[in-house]
Amino acid sequence: MAAPTPTPSPSRRTFLGRLSLPERNYLADALRTETVGGVILLGAAIAALVWANTLGSSYRALSDFHFGPESLGLHLSVQHWAADGLLAVFFFVAGVELKRELVAGELRDPKAAALPVIAAVSGMTAPAVVYTLVTVIGGGSTAGWAVPTATDIAFALAVLAVIGTSLPSALRAFLLTLAVVDDLLAILIIAVFFTDDIDLAALAGAFVGLAVFYLLLRKNVRGWYVYIPLALVIWGLMYNSGIHATIAGVAMGLMLRCTRREGEEHSPGEHIEHLMRPLSAGLAVPLFALFSAGVSLSGDAMASVFTRPETLGVVLGLVVGKTVGIFGGTWLAVRFTKAELNKDLAWADVFAIASLAGIGFTVSLLIGELAFEGDAFIENEIKTAVLLGSLMAAVFSGVLLKLRVRTYRALYEAEELDEDEDGVPDIYEQDDPAYHLRMAAIYEKKAAEHRRLAQVAGVASSKPDSPA
């Protein structure tokens, strides 16, 4: 069993140190849902590939089928509804998650937040630089520079579930915080770089709707029948404004209160996130994947991934750029700040997590559609590159994590050990005198039982053998 993490000196902050108990419990609940959603997402992606490469005509017909009120500018294809509508749910949850991290989670302390934020920023900058260099040298289009910048937390967790690695909570928290900051930066990229013509009237209407949404929250107005219709109106106005409609989801998520008041077991934001996360991870994102990941995997398409500058840039951005960016940024941040790596972990663990972050499925597919909109051929090629790059990152990180699986399992078991069976892991109770009294009573009870069994065994062995 791994020894508990030593308490750091006051002058040095421990990087990847033990989480607080409330944060550990929240993280376990959130990642449990995301892991299940990630497995569903993986299944949806495989189904899309099989469907598109066996019954391609029916897949394209359904993806291109249009429905919705044309008078409201919402007569969209099924694929468009999935990308702009369903992903708004995903980004709403991301907005709530970001708000909670900022006010109650790992990002609330600027000193503690510095490391994951630096890692996330460098982990998005490096892939963009790699893509740009490859396309400039190869004479390709730089329009897709943002495609390899995103991390898909659900897909990453699905990989962890498949390979059976029980990561300690500190590494899982680092991965989740990376993904949260990653989502925020991805939203900013979409809003700033993929918005062309803006309808100021529709945008003004969306802002008015958001203001009403905010006031209702502050007045503690309750009732889904108030917020859901209002959210749909805000989404529709945001879509018609020319700004990607998922921005509306993030904006509404950031408005929720995520701090607990006296007597509250959960804040409103945490409660709504708990309700919406299964819908996002189990339905919205997998359906988006079903109608976005269906690309042709012919031999020519696969071969061109490594010869076309744009697709090669995506693959190298995800596999090399993400790994080097996150690991390099983290190492430099720790090197030049008053921080020290958790003594139970090694820099090889940070490198493995950095390579796992190269799985850039959902948001990468979305940005690929936006960057090459109107060119179906290159869009299909870019999606193929995203799938291949994410697969390579998954395999590479899986191998690295497997090399340290015994260490992870020992740390995880030490974190989960609860010998007094009070629902709180023993590692969090070591400074509690009551805990030591309970453990002494438990050990005395076990010792008495052992003495009783030994006495019974001794009596049995002293009896004469029975006649044959």
Side-chain angles (χ1 to χ4, degrees):
M1 184 182 300
T5 303
T7 302
S9 63
S11 62
R12 294 180 68 83
R13 180 179 298 276
T14 299
F15 172 52
L16 298 178
R18 188 193 312 157
L19 302 178
S20 66
L21 183 58
E23 191 67 15
R24 169 200 171 275
N25 293 338
Y26 166 80
L27 179 75
D29 183 57
L31 295 188
R32 192 178 302 113
T33 303
E34 289 289 354
T35 301
V36 174
V39 174
I40 298 173
L41 173 62
L42 185 60
I46 294 172
L49 290 171
V50 172
W51 188 3
N53 286 276
T54 54
L55 301 171
S57 58
S58 65
Y59 179 83
R60 288 188 293 273
L62 182 57
S63 297
D64 294 336
F65 178 76
H66 283 63
F67 68 97
E70 192 165 358
S71 59
L72 298 178
L74 296 174
H75 189 66
L76 311 176
S77 68
V78 170
Q79 183 178 359
H80 211 158
W81 276 111
D84 286 81
L86 291 177
L87 277 195
V89 177
F90 165 77
F91 281 112
F92 172 79
V93 173
V96 180
E97 196 172 58
L98 175 63
K99 177 67 173 292
R100 187 199 168 277
E101 287 290 320
L102 288 170
V103 300
E106 291 294 291
L107 300 179
R108 72 187 183 280
D109 180 359
K111 292 182 179 179
L115 284 169
V117 169
I118 291 172
V121 171
S122 57
M124 296 189 79
T125 303
V129 170
V130 169
Y131 177 93
T132 303
L133 286 175
V134 171
T135 52
V136 168
I137 294 172
S141 170
T142 59
W145 64 269
V147 174
T149 60
T151 294
D152 193 313
I153 183 66
F155 219 136
L157 292 171
V159 171
L160 292 178
V162 169
I163 65 176
T165 301
S166 299
L167 287 181
S169 59
L171 287 175
R172 287 179 288 161
F174 181 59
L175 180 61
L176 180 61
T177 306
L178 273 177
V180 169
V181 179
D182 198 297
D183 288 339
L184 171 64
L185 296 176
I187 279 294
L188 293 176
I189 288 172
I190 291 171
V192 174
F193 296 99
F194 296 101
T195 298
D196 297 323
D197 300 324
I198 297 180
D199 186 326
L200 293 179
L203 184 60
F207 278 121
V208 170
L210 288 171
V212 173
F213 189 88
Y214 178 80
L215 289 174
L216 291 174
L217 289 172
R218 290 301 166 268
K219 294 292 183 180
N220 293 319
V221 175
R222 299 178 182 273
W224 62 267
Y225 46 83
V226 174
Y227 291 102
I228 290 182
L230 178 58
L232 292 174
V233 170
I234 294 170
W235 176 87
L237 288 168
M238 190 68 76
Y239 175 82
N240 281 290
S241 74
I243 296 176
H244 202 271
T246 53
I247 306 297
V250 174
M252 287 183 280
L254 286 170
M255 290 181 182
L256 295 179
R257 177 170 63 83
C258 293
T259 52
R260 300 177 189 178
R261 292 175 179 169
E262 187 176 352
E264 287 184 340
E265 185 177 354
H266 301 288
S267 67
E270 290 173 322
H271 177 67
I272 293 174
E273 182 191 12
H274 182 74
L275 294 176
M276 295 297 293
R277 188 183 288 276
L279 178 63
S280 169
L283 182 65
V285 175
L287 282 178
F288 166 75
L290 182 64
F291 293 107
S292 292
V295 297
S296 172
L297 295 179
S298 63
D300 293 339
M302 295 294 289
S304 66
V305 167
F306 297 101
T307 57
R308 189 183 185 103
E310 296 88 347
T311 50
L312 180 60
V314 169
V315 172
L316 292 179
L318 289 171
V319 179
V320 178
K322 269 289 184 184
T323 305
V324 172
I326 292 174
F327 179 80
T330 305
W331 187 86
L332 288 173
V334 171
R335 174 69 178 79
F336 292 104
T337 61
K338 291 182 178 180
E340 58 185 1
L341 184 65
N342 185 339
K343 296 295 191 296
D344 293 332
L345 298 171
W347 281 108
D349 303 314
V350 180
F351 189 84
I353 292 297
S355 64
L356 184 65
I359 301 173
F361 188 71
T362 304
V363 180
S364 291
L365 290 177
L366 174 62
I367 294 178
E369 292 177 0
L370 296 174
F372 296 99
E373 189 174 9
D375 189 337
F377 177 77
I378 184 61
E379 189 179 315
N380 186 83
E381 296 271 295
I382 290 294
K383 288 182 177 181
T384 303
V386 169
L387 292 172
L388 189 57
S390 297
L391 177 62
M392 292 172 65
V395 172
F396 181 50
S397 61
V399 171
L400 294 178
L401 291 168
K402 272 296 187 182
L403 294 175
R404 295 270 291 168
V405 68
R406 290 185 179 179
T407 300
Y408 299 149
R409 187 173 292 121
L411 291 171
Y412 180 80
E413 290 174 354
E415 289 179 357
E416 298 297 315
L417 184 64
D418 183 19
E419 288 194 335
D420 59 349
E421 299 180 350
D422 65 345
V424 179
D426 296 342
I427 201 169
Y428 289 95
E429 300 182 291
Q430 291 175 349
D431 297 328
D432 182 6
Y435 163 76
H436 294 289
L437 291 175
R438 290 197 302 272
M439 292 306 299
I442 290 172
Y443 290 142
E444 177 57 34
K445 184 177 179 181
K446 289 182 177 179
E449 182 66 15
H450 284 308
R451 287 194 296 269
R452 187 186 68 80
L453 292 174
Q455 185 178 11
V456 171
V459 170
S461 64
S462 65
K463 291 181 179 179
D465 294 338
S466 300

